[in-house]
Amino acid sequence: MIRFENVTKRYRGTSRPALSAVDFEVQRGEFVFLVGASGSGKSSCLRLILREDVPTTGRVAVLGRDLRSLANRKVPYFRRHIGSVFQDFRLLPSKTVYQNVAFTLQVTGSSRGFIQQAVPEALALVGLDGKQKRMPHELSGGEQQRVAIARALVNRPQVLLADEPTGNLDPATSVDIMQLLARINAGGTTVLMATHEAAFVDQMQRRVIELRDGEMVRDEVHGGYGDTSNIPRLVPEEVRGAAAAAALTAVQEVQRQTADLSVVRAALAEELSAQRKAAAASSDAVPTASETPEAQAAPIEPPIADERPADAQAAVGPLTHPILLPQVDVAELGVADRLGLSDDGAEEVGPTS
Ligand code: ADP
Ligand code: MG
C-alpha cells in the first residue's frame, strides 16, 4: 500500500540528508506510527507519500503507483485517495464546519447529491453532527481537528496520513482523537501517524517505525515508543493567534488537496481575498459578510479508478458510497489502560474485514 525502497532525501543547501536509505512497506489496513524527535524526518516521509516532494534516490510507491512515474497532472487525482491531517488543523477560518468539509468536494466537481450525503455522514462519524453551522473559531481545538479529519475522510480515502495530529491538543482531547483514528483504521482505512509524543504509541500497541536523524532505527509490529528520556514534551506553537497565517495555511492546504485545477485557483483567490478583508478588518472579528459563492466546478478529468481489490471494494463499497464505519469497541483495538477502556491488550484488527 505504501512502499519506501531505499529512500534518501537531501534538501538543497543542506549537508546531512533528511532521510537516509529508508526502507519499509505498510500493508493495507495497518495502523503505523512514525516516531522520532523533531527533525528526524517524519514529515519528509509524509510529503513523499503525498508526492509533495520526490526522493533524491530510491523509490516511493503508494497504492500501487511508482510516484516517480506519476504524471504531474495526475497528482491531484492520486491525492484524493489519501486523506491528511496536520497539527495545525488547516481549516478555512471564514467557512462553517459544513463548508470546510464540503469545500474540496465542491471545487473538484462532486455532485450536489453526493456532497449532501457525504458531508453530514463524515461529520457524524467524527461526532460533530450538531455543529455543522459553527465557524472554526467557535470550536475547541479537538473539535477543529475532528473537522479536519471529517474533511480528510469525506472522499473515502484508502490511506489517512496524520502529521502530529495531537500536537496542539491537551492530553484528554488527544486521547479522543486517537480513539477516533483507531476507529477509522478499524473501518479499513490504512493509517500512518507521525508523532513524537510517547504515551499514545505505547498504549496503542501498533507497529512503530522510528526515525533518528533520517535513519530508520526501528520497525516493530507491536512497538512501544521505547526510551523516551530524550524526547522533549511538545510546546504548542505560538501561531494560533495569527489570523492571516492561519488563513494562508488553510488556503495552502486546499491548494495541496486540489493542486493545479484552474477552477480551484479562482475559488482560492476569492477565499483569500475574503480572508484578507476579514483579517484587515479585525484580528478577531467574525468574517461572515464576505463569504464567497462556491465555485461552480466541473470535473476536468474523471477520477482515477478505484484500484482497491474486489474484496476490499465489496467490503467497504465503491468510492462514491457514503462513509459507514463500524461502531468499534475501542477496548478491542488494543488502546490500552490509560484510556480506561481496556484491561488487556487485544487482537489485531485485520485489514478491511
Ligand atoms: P520531523 O517531521 O520529524 O520534525 P522533517 O521531515 O520536518 O522532520 O525534517 C527532517 C530534516 O529535514 C530536518 O533537519 C529539517 O530541518 C530538514 N528539512 C525539512 N524540510 C526541509 C526543506 N524544505 N528544506 C531544507 N531542509 C528541510
Ligand atoms: Mg514534522
Side-chain angles (χ1 to χ4, degrees):
M1 180 134 266
I2 298 171
R3 197 165 70 237
F4 274 55
E5 290 175 11
N6 205 24
V7 169
T8 293
K9 175 66 191 175
R10 277 173 213 283
Y11 291 105
R12 222 164 265 156
T14 59
S15 50
R16 186 174 64 73
L19 295 172
S20 301
V22 171
D23 203 281
F24 65 84
E25 179 160 9
V26 174
Q27 305 292 338
R28 181 186 306 279
E30 274 194 283
F31 191 121
V32 180
F33 285 108
L34 192 57
V35 304
S38 180
S40 58
K42 305 180 296 295
S43 296
S44 295
C45 281
L46 299 186
R47 281 197 297 272
L48 293 176
I49 294 167
L50 281 165
R51 228 303 209 117
E52 289 183 350
D53 211 339
V54 292
T56 310
T57 60
R59 202 163 79 105
V60 176
V62 179
L63 302 172
R65 293 169 185 78
D66 180 342
L67 298 191
R68 289 215 148 177
S69 55
L70 184 69
N72 283 337
R73 68 184 171 81
K74 295 213 165 154
V75 168
Y77 306 98
F78 160 73
R79 285 187 188 146
R80 286 188 206 174
H81 294 262
I82 303 175
S84 43
V85 295
F86 302 89
Q87 179 172 337
D88 55 358
F89 320 139
R90 306 192 185 183
L91 302 178
L92 292 162
S94 67
K95 290 194 178 292
T96 64
V97 165
Y98 183 97
Q99 289 168 332
N100 263 282
V101 177
F103 189 69
T104 310
L105 294 178
Q106 288 165 332
V107 296
T108 54
S110 292
S111 75
R112 190 175 292 263
F114 175 71
I115 293 170
Q116 284 171 355
Q117 186 175 21
V119 175
E121 280 175 358
L123 286 170
L125 170 74
V126 301
L128 286 179
D129 332 43
K131 303 198 168 160
Q132 302 193 358
K133 292 184 176 161
R134 297 273 190 101
M135 303 302 289
H137 77 269
E138 296 172 323
L139 301 174
S140 69
E143 288 171 333
Q144 291 184 51
Q145 190 60 293
R146 286 172 187 273
V147 177
I149 292 170
R151 177 180 61 185
L153 292 178
V154 74
N155 225 6
R156 306 199 76 226
Q158 297 170 68
V159 179
L160 179 64
L161 304 180
D163 196 352
E164 314 254 11
T166 61
N168 276 344
L169 305 175
D170 62 59
T173 309
S174 298
V175 168
D176 292 343
I177 295 294
M178 286 310 308
Q179 291 185 40
L180 178 57
L181 294 178
R183 201 151 61 80
I184 288 162
N185 174 245
T189 307
T190 306
V191 176
L192 180 56
M193 170 172 162
T195 183
H196 63 255
E197 292 176 289
F200 304 125
V201 177
D202 290 328
Q203 289 165 13
M204 294 284 287
Q205 308 240 316
R206 296 305 178 93
R207 180 173 171 194
V208 174
I209 295 173
E210 182 174 352
L211 295 170
R212 194 173 299 158
D213 295 333
E215 288 177 22
M216 249 178 85
V217 293
R218 195 155 67 108
D219 183 358
E220 284 178 4
V221 172
H222 294 285
Y225 196 81
D227 177 15
T228 61
S229 56
N230 290 325
I231 311 292
R233 309 306 296 181
L234 185 73
V235 179
E237 288 174 25
E238 297 296 329
V239 297
R240 279 173 287 176
L248 181 63
T249 329
V251 168
Q252 284 169 335
E253 168 54 13
V254 176
Q255 209 160 21
R256 189 197 64 69
Q257 290 184 7
T258 51
D260 58 0
L261 304 170
S262 57
V263 64
V264 176
R265 287 203 201 99
L268 288 173
E270 281 182 66
E271 174 65 22
L272 189 57
S273 103
Q275 286 172 10
R276 282 205 189 105
K277 270 185 236 156
S282 160
S283 60
D284 49 29
V286 185
T288 48
S290 55
E291 203 66 65
T292 57
E294 303 301 352
Q296 295 299 308
I300 287 168
E301 185 176 305
I304 49 182
D306 183 353
E307 294 183 0
R308 293 173 297 170
D311 60 340
Q313 293 190 36
V316 294
L319 288 173
T320 52
H321 191 274
I323 297 173
L324 285 173
L325 293 190
Q327 282 297 322
V328 174
D329 180 355
V330 177
E332 288 177 5
L333 303 178
V335 181
D337 308 8
R338 197 171 73 100
L339 307 184
L341 295 164
S342 164
D343 42 26
D344 57 2
E347 293 180 4
E348 271 297 295
V349 173
T352 66
S353 59

